[in-house]
Amino acid sequence: MLERPGDLIPVQPNATSIPWTRRRSQILNFLHRGPVTFSTLVYDTNVGDISALATYFNPDRISERELNLRFGHYPTSGEKHASPQKAGTDAVVKPQAVAVPRP
């Protein structure tokens, strides 16, 4: 997953507490699961920074739906996750099994 420079990996907000020198080895412990928004933080494998998706994508040119299609891939197979479904007013995301190799 971290072998291609330039990838953006959605992460949880507490990933920013990882020291910069250890981010590459520990970032997989802080993966964000579920739908993304422009405020979702992503780890840039090219430089090691953690920034919001709005840093990389212009909200006037790309929709949140397109972001979710782009970042809704399984780490190893390239298959897409099911789109979030609505249950009343809340979005429901079905859990997905993700196999991530340990460093």
mmCIF file of all heavy atoms in Angstrom, residues 64-102:
data_model
loop_
_atom_site.group_PDB
_atom_site.id
_atom_site.type_symbol
_atom_site.label_atom_id
_atom_site.label_comp_id
_atom_site.label_asym_id
_atom_site.label_seq_id
_atom_site.Cartn_x
_atom_site.Cartn_y
_atom_site.Cartn_z
ATOM 1 N N GLU A 64 -18.080 15.493 -3.739
ATOM 2 C CA GLU A 64 -17.768 14.513 -2.699
ATOM 3 C C GLU A 64 -18.054 13.099 -3.192
ATOM 4 O O GLU A 64 -17.364 12.158 -2.816
ATOM 5 C CB GLU A 64 -18.557 14.797 -1.422
ATOM 6 C CG GLU A 64 -17.963 15.919 -0.621
ATOM 7 C CD GLU A 64 -18.585 16.058 0.748
ATOM 8 O OE1 GLU A 64 -19.338 15.158 1.183
ATOM 9 O OE2 GLU A 64 -18.318 17.084 1.389
ATOM 10 N N ARG A 65 -19.045 12.948 -4.034
ATOM 11 C CA ARG A 65 -19.339 11.623 -4.607
ATOM 12 C C ARG A 65 -18.130 11.110 -5.388
ATOM 13 O O ARG A 65 -17.738 9.954 -5.270
ATOM 14 C CB ARG A 65 -20.560 11.709 -5.517
ATOM 15 C CG ARG A 65 -20.930 10.375 -6.129
ATOM 16 C CD ARG A 65 -22.126 10.521 -7.082
ATOM 17 N NE ARG A 65 -22.393 9.278 -7.756
ATOM 18 C CZ ARG A 65 -21.712 8.811 -8.816
ATOM 19 N NH1 ARG A 65 -20.706 9.501 -9.293
ATOM 20 N NH2 ARG A 65 -22.024 7.654 -9.364
ATOM 21 N N GLU A 66 -17.527 11.999 -6.212
ATOM 22 C CA GLU A 66 -16.337 11.601 -6.975
ATOM 23 C C GLU A 66 -15.163 11.277 -6.053
ATOM 24 O O GLU A 66 -14.389 10.361 -6.321
ATOM 25 C CB GLU A 66 -15.948 12.705 -7.951
ATOM 26 C CG GLU A 66 -16.948 12.872 -9.087
ATOM 27 C CD GLU A 66 -16.663 14.090 -9.930
ATOM 28 O OE1 GLU A 66 -16.622 15.211 -9.385
ATOM 29 O OE2 GLU A 66 -16.473 13.905 -11.148
ATOM 30 N N LEU A 67 -15.024 12.032 -4.958
ATOM 31 C CA LEU A 67 -13.969 11.725 -3.986
ATOM 32 C C LEU A 67 -14.173 10.332 -3.415
ATOM 33 O O LEU A 67 -13.231 9.556 -3.275
ATOM 34 C CB LEU A 67 -13.968 12.733 -2.833
ATOM 35 C CG LEU A 67 -13.384 14.100 -3.088
ATOM 36 C CD1 LEU A 67 -13.490 14.954 -1.826
ATOM 37 C CD2 LEU A 67 -11.941 14.016 -3.539
ATOM 38 N N ASN A 68 -15.416 10.011 -3.074
ATOM 39 C CA ASN A 68 -15.699 8.700 -2.494
ATOM 40 C C ASN A 68 -15.491 7.582 -3.500
ATOM 41 O O ASN A 68 -15.066 6.489 -3.128
ATOM 42 C CB ASN A 68 -17.106 8.671 -1.901
ATOM 43 C CG ASN A 68 -17.138 9.326 -0.542
ATOM 44 O OD1 ASN A 68 -16.570 8.807 0.400
ATOM 45 N ND2 ASN A 68 -17.766 10.486 -0.454
ATOM 46 N N LEU A 69 -15.752 7.838 -4.763
ATOM 47 C CA LEU A 69 -15.462 6.828 -5.779
ATOM 48 C C LEU A 69 -13.960 6.617 -5.921
ATOM 49 O O LEU A 69 -13.482 5.505 -6.104
ATOM 50 C CB LEU A 69 -16.055 7.232 -7.125
ATOM 51 C CG LEU A 69 -17.578 7.187 -7.220
ATOM 52 C CD1 LEU A 69 -18.047 7.769 -8.547
ATOM 53 C CD2 LEU A 69 -18.087 5.772 -7.044
ATOM 54 N N ARG A 70 -13.189 7.685 -5.816
ATOM 55 C CA ARG A 70 -11.742 7.612 -5.972
ATOM 56 C C ARG A 70 -11.075 6.941 -4.775
ATOM 57 O O ARG A 70 -10.135 6.179 -4.924
ATOM 58 C CB ARG A 70 -11.176 9.013 -6.151
ATOM 59 C CG ARG A 70 -9.676 9.021 -6.370
ATOM 60 C CD ARG A 70 -9.192 10.397 -6.676
ATOM 61 N NE ARG A 70 -9.702 10.799 -7.979
ATOM 62 C CZ ARG A 70 -9.058 11.551 -8.833
ATOM 63 N NH1 ARG A 70 -7.885 12.019 -8.529
ATOM 64 N NH2 ARG A 70 -9.589 11.852 -9.990
ATOM 65 N N PHE A 71 -11.559 7.228 -3.564
ATOM 66 C CA PHE A 71 -10.919 6.699 -2.362
ATOM 67 C C PHE A 71 -11.659 5.512 -1.776
ATOM 68 O O PHE A 71 -11.308 5.039 -0.710
ATOM 69 C CB PHE A 71 -10.766 7.810 -1.314
ATOM 70 C CG PHE A 71 -9.759 8.830 -1.719
ATOM 71 C CD1 PHE A 71 -10.156 10.030 -2.269
ATOM 72 C CD2 PHE A 71 -8.413 8.569 -1.589
ATOM 73 C CE1 PHE A 71 -9.218 10.966 -2.673
ATOM 74 C CE2 PHE A 71 -7.473 9.496 -1.998
ATOM 75 C CZ PHE A 71 -7.880 10.701 -2.537
ATOM 76 N N GLY A 72 -12.663 4.996 -2.465
ATOM 77 C CA GLY A 72 -13.418 3.853 -1.974
ATOM 78 C C GLY A 72 -12.946 2.537 -2.553
ATOM 79 O O GLY A 72 -13.745 1.692 -2.876
ATOM 80 N N HIS A 73 -11.636 2.361 -2.721
ATOM 81 C CA HIS A 73 -11.076 1.124 -3.278
ATOM 82 C C HIS A 73 -10.490 0.274 -2.169
ATOM 83 O O HIS A 73 -9.956 0.782 -1.193
ATOM 84 C CB HIS A 73 -9.961 1.439 -4.275
ATOM 85 C CG HIS A 73 -10.447 2.049 -5.546
ATOM 86 N ND1 HIS A 73 -11.564 2.826 -5.650
ATOM 87 C CD2 HIS A 73 -9.948 1.989 -6.795
ATOM 88 C CE1 HIS A 73 -11.723 3.221 -6.887
ATOM 89 N NE2 HIS A 73 -10.757 2.730 -7.604
ATOM 90 N N TYR A 74 -10.569 -1.037 -2.368
ATOM 91 C CA TYR A 74 -9.878 -1.940 -1.465
ATOM 92 C C TYR A 74 -8.384 -1.738 -1.655
ATOM 93 O O TYR A 74 -7.920 -1.508 -2.776
ATOM 94 C CB TYR A 74 -10.220 -3.401 -1.779
ATOM 95 C CG TYR A 74 -11.642 -3.758 -1.443
ATOM 96 C CD1 TYR A 74 -12.626 -3.730 -2.418
ATOM 97 C CD2 TYR A 74 -11.985 -4.117 -0.151
ATOM 98 C CE1 TYR A 74 -13.927 -4.059 -2.109
ATOM 99 C CE2 TYR A 74 -13.294 -4.453 0.154
ATOM 100 C CZ TYR A 74 -14.250 -4.424 -0.821
ATOM 101 O OH TYR A 74 -15.537 -4.750 -0.519
ATOM 102 N N PRO A 75 -7.575 -1.859 -0.599
ATOM 103 C CA PRO A 75 -6.141 -1.611 -0.726
ATOM 104 C C PRO A 75 -5.417 -2.536 -1.693
ATOM 105 O O PRO A 75 -4.445 -2.150 -2.291
ATOM 106 C CB PRO A 75 -5.605 -1.818 0.680
ATOM 107 C CG PRO A 75 -6.767 -1.881 1.570
ATOM 108 C CD PRO A 75 -7.977 -2.138 0.742
ATOM 109 N N THR A 76 -5.895 -3.780 -1.875
ATOM 110 C CA THR A 76 -5.129 -4.709 -2.686
ATOM 111 C C THR A 76 -5.815 -5.146 -3.970
ATOM 112 O O THR A 76 -5.154 -5.508 -4.925
ATOM 113 C CB THR A 76 -4.787 -5.981 -1.890
ATOM 114 O OG1 THR A 76 -6.007 -6.547 -1.408
ATOM 115 C CG2 THR A 76 -3.876 -5.663 -0.727
ATOM 116 N N SER A 77 -7.149 -5.128 -4.031
ATOM 117 C CA SER A 77 -7.820 -5.733 -5.167
ATOM 118 C C SER A 77 -8.286 -4.747 -6.226
ATOM 119 O O SER A 77 -8.577 -5.142 -7.343
ATOM 120 C CB SER A 77 -9.034 -6.532 -4.685
ATOM 121 O OG SER A 77 -10.005 -5.650 -4.172
ATOM 122 N N GLY A 78 -8.419 -3.469 -5.887
ATOM 123 C CA GLY A 78 -8.904 -2.499 -6.843
ATOM 124 C C GLY A 78 -10.412 -2.484 -6.980
ATOM 125 O O GLY A 78 -10.963 -1.713 -7.728
ATOM 126 N N GLU A 79 -11.130 -3.362 -6.224
ATOM 127 C CA GLU A 79 -12.582 -3.357 -6.263
ATOM 128 C C GLU A 79 -13.102 -2.150 -5.507
ATOM 129 O O GLU A 79 -12.468 -1.665 -4.590
ATOM 130 C CB GLU A 79 -13.135 -4.622 -5.602
ATOM 131 C CG GLU A 79 -12.772 -5.893 -6.330
ATOM 132 C CD GLU A 79 -13.319 -7.098 -5.618
ATOM 133 O OE1 GLU A 79 -14.489 -7.062 -5.202
ATOM 134 O OE2 GLU A 79 -12.575 -8.061 -5.458
ATOM 135 N N LYS A 80 -14.286 -1.675 -5.895
ATOM 136 C CA LYS A 80 -14.872 -0.521 -5.227
ATOM 137 C C LYS A 80 -15.800 -0.972 -4.109
ATOM 138 O O LYS A 80 -16.445 -2.008 -4.207
ATOM 139 C CB LYS A 80 -15.640 0.330 -6.226
ATOM 140 C CG LYS A 80 -14.724 0.948 -7.252
ATOM 141 C CD LYS A 80 -15.483 1.855 -8.168
ATOM 142 C CE LYS A 80 -14.518 2.460 -9.168
ATOM 143 N NZ LYS A 80 -15.179 3.348 -10.092
ATOM 144 N N HIS A 81 -15.833 -0.162 -3.039
ATOM 145 C CA HIS A 81 -16.775 -0.399 -1.951
ATOM 146 C C HIS A 81 -18.177 -0.066 -2.428
ATOM 147 O O HIS A 81 -18.364 0.717 -3.337
ATOM 148 C CB HIS A 81 -16.453 0.521 -0.763
ATOM 149 C CG HIS A 81 -15.202 0.145 -0.056
ATOM 150 N ND1 HIS A 81 -15.142 -0.873 0.845
ATOM 151 C CD2 HIS A 81 -13.958 0.669 -0.123
ATOM 152 C CE1 HIS A 81 -13.917 -0.958 1.314
ATOM 153 N NE2 HIS A 81 -13.177 -0.034 0.754
ATOM 154 N N ALA A 82 -19.150 -0.621 -1.746
ATOM 155 C CA ALA A 82 -20.527 -0.267 -2.038
ATOM 156 C C ALA A 82 -20.751 1.187 -1.635
ATOM 157 O O ALA A 82 -20.175 1.668 -0.680
ATOM 158 C CB ALA A 82 -21.469 -1.181 -1.250
ATOM 159 N N SER A 83 -21.585 1.885 -2.384
ATOM 160 C CA SER A 83 -21.889 3.272 -2.056
ATOM 161 C C SER A 83 -22.666 3.322 -0.754
ATOM 162 O O SER A 83 -23.438 2.412 -0.441
ATOM 163 C CB SER A 83 -22.720 3.907 -3.157
ATOM 164 O OG SER A 83 -21.994 3.913 -4.355
ATOM 165 N N PRO A 84 -22.471 4.390 0.031
ATOM 166 C CA PRO A 84 -23.244 4.520 1.260
ATOM 167 C C PRO A 84 -24.729 4.556 0.945
ATOM 168 O O PRO A 84 -25.148 5.146 -0.048
ATOM 169 C CB PRO A 84 -22.784 5.867 1.833
ATOM 170 C CG PRO A 84 -21.492 6.155 1.151
ATOM 171 C CD PRO A 84 -21.538 5.470 -0.167
ATOM 172 N N GLN A 85 -25.521 3.909 1.796
ATOM 173 C CA GLN A 85 -26.957 3.886 1.612
ATOM 174 C C GLN A 85 -27.593 4.781 2.660
ATOM 175 O O GLN A 85 -27.033 5.005 3.715
ATOM 176 C CB GLN A 85 -27.487 2.459 1.749
ATOM 177 C CG GLN A 85 -26.907 1.517 0.718
ATOM 178 C CD GLN A 85 -27.321 0.081 0.965
ATOM 179 O OE1 GLN A 85 -27.885 -0.232 2.006
ATOM 180 N NE2 GLN A 85 -27.059 -0.778 0.013
ATOM 181 N N LYS A 86 -28.787 5.274 2.372
ATOM 182 C CA LYS A 86 -29.499 6.132 3.303
ATOM 183 C C LYS A 86 -30.486 5.298 4.109
ATOM 184 O O LYS A 86 -31.194 4.467 3.582
ATOM 185 C CB LYS A 86 -30.266 7.232 2.563
ATOM 186 C CG LYS A 86 -29.372 8.246 1.890
ATOM 187 C CD LYS A 86 -28.929 9.264 2.891
ATOM 188 C CE LYS A 86 -28.181 10.380 2.187
ATOM 189 N NZ LYS A 86 -27.735 11.396 3.071
ATOM 190 N N ALA A 87 -30.527 5.530 5.422
ATOM 191 C CA ALA A 87 -31.522 4.941 6.299
ATOM 192 C C ALA A 87 -32.132 6.115 7.060
ATOM 193 O O ALA A 87 -31.561 6.598 8.028
ATOM 194 C CB ALA A 87 -30.907 3.932 7.253
ATOM 195 N N GLY A 88 -33.239 6.610 6.574
ATOM 196 C CA GLY A 88 -33.801 7.829 7.155
ATOM 197 C C GLY A 88 -32.956 9.010 6.719
ATOM 198 O O GLY A 88 -32.765 9.253 5.543
ATOM 199 N N THR A 89 -32.396 9.726 7.685
ATOM 200 C CA THR A 89 -31.551 10.885 7.360
ATOM 201 C C THR A 89 -30.083 10.575 7.527
ATOM 202 O O THR A 89 -29.236 11.411 7.260
ATOM 203 C CB THR A 89 -31.919 12.083 8.250
ATOM 204 O OG1 THR A 89 -31.735 11.699 9.621
ATOM 205 C CG2 THR A 89 -33.342 12.530 8.015
ATOM 206 N N ASP A 90 -29.730 9.370 8.005
ATOM 207 C CA ASP A 90 -28.339 9.014 8.253
ATOM 208 C C ASP A 90 -27.786 8.137 7.135
ATOM 209 O O ASP A 90 -28.471 7.278 6.609
ATOM 210 C CB ASP A 90 -28.197 8.239 9.571
ATOM 211 C CG ASP A 90 -28.639 9.055 10.768
ATOM 212 O OD1 ASP A 90 -28.422 10.285 10.740
ATOM 213 O OD2 ASP A 90 -29.189 8.474 11.718
ATOM 214 N N ALA A 91 -26.524 8.368 6.785
ATOM 215 C CA ALA A 91 -25.850 7.510 5.809
ATOM 216 C C ALA A 91 -25.399 6.241 6.516
ATOM 217 O O ALA A 91 -24.884 6.294 7.620
ATOM 218 C CB ALA A 91 -24.658 8.222 5.201
ATOM 219 N N VAL A 92 -25.622 5.109 5.896
ATOM 220 C CA VAL A 92 -25.229 3.825 6.468
ATOM 221 C C VAL A 92 -24.157 3.226 5.574
ATOM 222 O O VAL A 92 -24.346 3.085 4.373
ATOM 223 C CB VAL A 92 -26.437 2.864 6.553
ATOM 224 C CG1 VAL A 92 -26.006 1.512 7.074
ATOM 225 C CG2 VAL A 92 -27.532 3.462 7.418
ATOM 226 N N VAL A 93 -23.037 2.871 6.170
ATOM 227 C CA VAL A 93 -21.952 2.254 5.427
ATOM 228 C C VAL A 93 -21.816 0.826 5.935
ATOM 229 O O VAL A 93 -21.653 0.596 7.124
ATOM 230 C CB VAL A 93 -20.624 3.018 5.634
ATOM 231 C CG1 VAL A 93 -19.508 2.326 4.875
ATOM 232 C CG2 VAL A 93 -20.770 4.446 5.183
ATOM 233 N N LYS A 94 -21.908 -0.119 5.024
ATOM 234 C CA LYS A 94 -21.763 -1.510 5.407
ATOM 235 C C LYS A 94 -20.301 -1.793 5.716
ATOM 236 O O LYS A 94 -19.410 -1.331 5.005
ATOM 237 C CB LYS A 94 -22.234 -2.417 4.284
ATOM 238 C CG LYS A 94 -23.722 -2.308 4.021
ATOM 239 C CD LYS A 94 -24.146 -3.238 2.918
ATOM 240 C CE LYS A 94 -25.639 -3.098 2.649
ATOM 241 N NZ LYS A 94 -26.065 -3.967 1.572
ATOM 242 N N PRO A 95 -20.016 -2.538 6.777
ATOM 243 C CA PRO A 95 -18.618 -2.827 7.109
ATOM 244 C C PRO A 95 -17.955 -3.661 6.034
ATOM 245 O O PRO A 95 -18.583 -4.512 5.415
ATOM 246 C CB PRO A 95 -18.705 -3.605 8.430
ATOM 247 C CG PRO A 95 -20.112 -4.028 8.552
ATOM 248 C CD PRO A 95 -20.948 -3.155 7.686
ATOM 249 N N GLN A 96 -16.689 -3.396 5.795
ATOM 250 C CA GLN A 96 -15.907 -4.117 4.810
ATOM 251 C C GLN A 96 -14.703 -4.740 5.492
ATOM 252 O O GLN A 96 -14.083 -4.109 6.338
ATOM 253 C CB GLN A 96 -15.434 -3.174 3.707
ATOM 254 C CG GLN A 96 -16.529 -2.488 2.959
ATOM 255 C CD GLN A 96 -17.271 -3.426 2.027
ATOM 256 O OE1 GLN A 96 -16.721 -4.404 1.543
ATOM 257 N NE2 GLN A 96 -18.535 -3.135 1.791
ATOM 258 N N ALA A 97 -14.361 -5.935 5.128
ATOM 259 C CA ALA A 97 -13.148 -6.570 5.642
ATOM 260 C C ALA A 97 -11.962 -6.104 4.814
ATOM 261 O O ALA A 97 -11.976 -6.213 3.599
ATOM 262 C CB ALA A 97 -13.272 -8.085 5.585
ATOM 263 N N VAL A 98 -10.975 -5.549 5.478
ATOM 264 C CA VAL A 98 -9.797 -5.058 4.789
ATOM 265 C C VAL A 98 -8.584 -5.779 5.371
ATOM 266 O O VAL A 98 -8.347 -5.731 6.571
ATOM 267 C CB VAL A 98 -9.621 -3.534 4.966
ATOM 268 C CG1 VAL A 98 -8.371 -3.062 4.289
ATOM 269 C CG2 VAL A 98 -10.838 -2.807 4.422
ATOM 270 N N ALA A 99 -7.837 -6.459 4.544
ATOM 271 C CA ALA A 99 -6.631 -7.152 4.982
ATOM 272 C C ALA A 99 -5.444 -6.240 4.717
ATOM 273 O O ALA A 99 -5.147 -5.906 3.572
ATOM 274 C CB ALA A 99 -6.469 -8.464 4.247
ATOM 275 N N VAL A 100 -4.791 -5.812 5.787
ATOM 276 C CA VAL A 100 -3.636 -4.927 5.669
ATOM 277 C C VAL A 100 -2.427 -5.652 6.242
ATOM 278 O O VAL A 100 -2.445 -6.081 7.389
ATOM 279 C CB VAL A 100 -3.870 -3.604 6.443
ATOM 280 C CG1 VAL A 100 -2.678 -2.699 6.343
ATOM 281 C CG2 VAL A 100 -5.117 -2.921 5.923
ATOM 282 N N PRO A 101 -1.367 -5.812 5.463
ATOM 283 C CA PRO A 101 -0.193 -6.515 5.967
ATOM 284 C C PRO A 101 0.467 -5.729 7.089
ATOM 285 O O PRO A 101 0.499 -4.508 7.082
ATOM 286 C CB PRO A 101 0.723 -6.614 4.747
ATOM 287 C CG PRO A 101 0.241 -5.569 3.814
ATOM 288 C CD PRO A 101 -1.194 -5.344 4.109
ATOM 289 N N ARG A 102 0.974 -6.430 8.073
ATOM 290 C CA ARG A 102 1.695 -5.808 9.180
ATOM 291 C C ARG A 102 3.141 -5.549 8.760
ATOM 292 O O ARG A 102 3.743 -6.365 8.069
ATOM 293 C CB ARG A 102 1.685 -6.728 10.406
ATOM 294 C CG ARG A 102 0.324 -6.956 10.965
ATOM 295 C CD ARG A 102 0.019 -5.876 11.924
ATOM 296 N NE ARG A 102 -1.326 -6.083 12.450
ATOM 297 C CZ ARG A 102 -1.914 -5.213 13.180
ATOM 298 N NH1 ARG A 102 -1.304 -4.119 13.508
ATOM 299 N NH2 ARG A 102 -3.118 -5.428 13.628
#
